[in-house]
Amino acid sequence: QKEVEQNSGPLSVPEGAIASLNCTYSDRGSQSFFWYRQYSGKSPELIMFIYSNGDKEDGRFTAQLNKASQYVSLLIRDSQPSDSATYLCAVISSGSARQLTFGSGTQLTVLP
Amino acid sequence: EAQVTQNPRYLITVTGKKLTVTCSQNMNHEYMSWYRQDPGLGLRQIYYSMNVEVTDKGDVPEGYKVSRKEKRNFPLILESPSPNQTSLYFCASSLRAGKSSGNTIYFGEGSWLTVV
């Protein structure tokens, strides 16, 4: 069983819509959760991190964490074509020495 | 400028010919790691290092070696490369291990490696 699972997509949304990206993880003791954005051929860049249950907002991005359901999501409001990228969910599991486990990523396309 | 620098960025090599991918960071970070990225599999950790002379295996260490003799450098060594090691490799670093918000992971620009 994969430790971090994401729908690979592709996910397409029209410009201005809300894009919703989802991620589930298997280790119930996981403590830290991250969302990275990766443009094709480029390195991942951190866009959000969340540690506590609930929502965390940063500009157009909102990360949502539900530890009971082992579920973390990323909402992108007012999606722009420049948001088109692969979004990687990453989790630091319990007892780990900073071993960050990535999901396989969801490819998002925002249509103008 | 804070950065993680990898070299080479692009390399085509032949099976069995030893190669080293260098990684250097200028942020005095304790933690460094190597990932490989393959289509449909995401980023998988190869090795990581908590500090100088402290290294450990990640999820896919077979066929790779690392060393951490200096804090800033963390080279990835392929002693006898094989075609299944054709991949995109990323070096990454962070200040230290742990979940603190200050531990942003910085990635290098990636090294495209093809083994024929």
Side-chain angles (χ1 to χ4, degrees):
Chain A
Q1 180 188 0
K2 272 191 172 179
E3 293 185 33
V4 180
E5 295 217 35
Q6 298 179 250
N7 290 329
S8 60
L11 172 67
S12 295
V13 299
E15 185 173 356
I18 296 175
S20 177
L21 304 162
N22 304 315
C23 173
T24 57
Y25 58 94
S26 59
D27 182 352
R28 185 167 289 279
S30 297
Q31 297 292 318
S32 309
F33 307 88
F34 303 83
W35 282 101
Y36 285 82
R37 177 175 61 201
Q38 187 177 26
Y39 294 110
S40 181
K42 301 296 184 182
S43 57
E45 55 179 322
L46 180 67
I47 52 174
M48 292 284 290
F49 60 86
I50 186 167
Y51 304 136
S52 304
N53 273 331
D55 295 359
K56 179 181 179 182
E57 188 174 318
D58 184 1
R60 296 187 295 113
F61 299 97
T62 298
Q64 298 175 317
L65 175 61
N66 183 327
K67 288 187 178 181
S69 301
Q70 295 175 237
Y71 175 94
V72 58
S73 65
L74 179 70
L75 301 177
I76 306 174
R77 290 182 300 282
D78 188 24
S79 296
Q80 302 297 309
S82 59
D83 294 326
S84 298
T86 297
Y87 289 80
L88 301 168
C89 174
V91 175
I92 295 180
S93 301
S94 58
S96 168
R98 192 61 179 182
Q99 190 160 347
L100 192 63
T101 301
F102 286 85
S104 57
T106 298
Q107 185 179 344
L108 171 68
T109 300
V110 180
L111 303 169
Chain B
E1 180 189 353
Q3 56 185 337
V4 179
T5 303
Q6 299 178 224
N7 280 295
R9 294 287 319 281
Y10 304 93
L11 179 64
I12 299 175
T13 190
V14 296
T15 299
K17 185 177 180 181
K18 181 180 178 179
L19 69 92
T20 299
V21 186
T22 63
C23 174
S24 180
Q25 49 90 5
N26 62 358
M27 297 167 279
N28 201 36
H29 284 172
E30 292 181 354
Y31 182 89
M32 297 184 74
S33 64
W34 276 102
Y35 295 87
R36 61 177 289 174
Q37 187 171 33
D38 303 289
L41 297 177
L43 283 156
R44 294 180 293 168
Q45 192 176 54
I46 303 170
Y47 269 94
Y48 64 93
S49 170
M50 301 282 285
N51 213 324
V52 176
E53 301 292 0
V54 182
T55 64
D56 210 345
K57 296 177 181 178
D59 295 320
V60 288
E62 294 77 20
Y64 305 94
K65 286 175 58 177
V66 293
S67 68
R68 187 90 182 273
K69 296 176 180 166
E70 305 166 281
K71 200 170 189 178
R72 64 183 292 126
N73 296 323
F74 190 46
L76 179 69
I77 303 159
L78 286 74
E79 292 272 3
S80 182
S82 62
N84 64 12
Q85 292 178 297
T86 293
S87 188
L88 174 59
Y89 291 86
F90 287 103
C91 181
S93 74
S94 67
L95 185 59
R96 61 180 62 85
K99 75 167 191 176
S100 158
S101 62
N103 289 331
T104 299
I105 288 184
Y106 294 81
F107 284 88
E109 292 188 317
S111 295
W112 292 89
L113 172 63
T114 301
V115 184
V116 298

